[in-house]
Amino acid sequence: MAAPPTFDLNEMKTRMQKSIATLRDELQGLRTGRASASLLEPVMVEAYGTRMPLNQVATVTVPEARLLNVSVWDRSMAPAVDKAIRNSGLGLNPSTEGATIRVPLPELNEERRRELTKVAHNYAEQAKVAIRHIRRDGMDLLKTLEKGGHIGQDDSRGKSDLVQKATDDAISEVDQVLAAKEQEIMQV
């Protein structure tokens, strides 16, 4: 008979921290003032029958403060990259010239800042959902261990409380990261 699965709170906390780190990376891509190559990191391109990150089909450079250059390695992928940038929700309007795509960055007006905060909220909500999934996995494991007689009901409740506390802490951290990014975006 196989050994029962083990409950590891530290492993769950590590997974939650990875979700928060992913959120920080995504928020890093939201520009606040000047162009940054990381702005296009969250963009996924339909390429060769699968979805790939933009950096696996092209090189992104910053020739000037308000312009990004995307050099597509395979010229036939240029329309797909252009489409992915347009549909990314970043409010960018690229222009294609052969294998090079120029992405001018619009001035950050009040309306654009509000759009960027909506995108930031969307990223934060995705992180919260990921954290809640991790919580659900932990709770399901505890129920399974309790039903199998591997841990007692009191032990299961105690560990459930620890899982909930870790979840609350992680979601609180997501809210803090979001608030800081929101303040950065709205700063004129």
Side-chain angles (χ1 to χ4, degrees):
M1 190 164 115
T6 57
F7 175 78
D8 185 1
L9 184 64
N10 289 330
E11 186 261 340
M12 286 183 59
K13 287 181 179 179
T14 301
R15 287 175 56 199
M16 289 179 184
Q17 286 303 315
K18 285 180 184 175
S19 295
I20 294 169
T22 301
L23 171 66
R24 287 180 200 269
D25 288 345
E26 289 173 336
L27 290 178
Q28 189 82 34
L30 286 181
R31 74 185 176 87
T32 53
R34 56 179 271 115
S36 162
S38 63
L39 173 67
L40 297 179
E41 279 181 10
V43 175
M44 298 296 279
V45 180
E46 282 291 331
Y48 311 113
T50 184
R51 290 177 55 83
M52 312 175 87
L54 178 68
N55 63 9
Q56 290 185 6
V57 295
T59 304
V60 181
T61 57
V62 185
E64 53 190 74
R66 307 201 66 63
L67 181 72
L68 293 173
N69 255 359
V70 180
S71 301
V72 183
W73 301 326
D74 179 358
R75 188 183 194 114
S76 66
M77 292 305 305
V81 171
D82 182 284
K83 181 180 177 186
I85 293 170
R86 285 181 196 280
N87 297 339
S88 66
L90 296 172
L92 301 173
N93 193 10
S95 64
T96 306
E97 300 164 12
T100 302
I101 299 171
R102 299 195 192 297
V103 185
L105 300 179
E107 187 67 42
L108 277 180
N109 57 21
E110 186 69 22
E111 179 183 339
R112 182 70 189 125
R113 289 177 195 277
R114 293 199 190 289
E115 284 177 29
L116 285 174
T117 58
K118 286 180 186 175
V119 172
H121 277 275
N122 187 17
Y123 287 158
E125 191 54 41
Q126 290 171 0
K128 287 179 182 180
V129 167
I131 289 167
R132 289 184 196 116
H133 283 296
I134 295 165
R135 174 188 167 273
R136 184 196 62 214
D137 292 346
M139 295 298 206
D140 289 348
L141 176 61
L142 287 172
K143 286 179 188 171
T144 303
L145 290 172
E146 186 181 337
K147 283 182 182 169
H150 301 291
I151 62 172
Q153 190 175 13
D154 290 343
D155 198 21
S156 175
R157 282 196 184 133
K159 288 182 179 182
S160 292
D161 291 344
L162 292 174
V163 169
Q164 186 59 50
K165 182 175 179 354
T167 303
D168 293 343
D169 291 346
I171 287 182
S172 170
E173 190 173 343
V174 166
D175 289 337
Q176 290 171 1
V177 169
L178 175 63
K181 186 63 177 187
E182 214 172 29
Q183 184 177 9
E184 186 182 328
I185 290 171
M186 296 308 284
Q187 190 175 31
V188 177

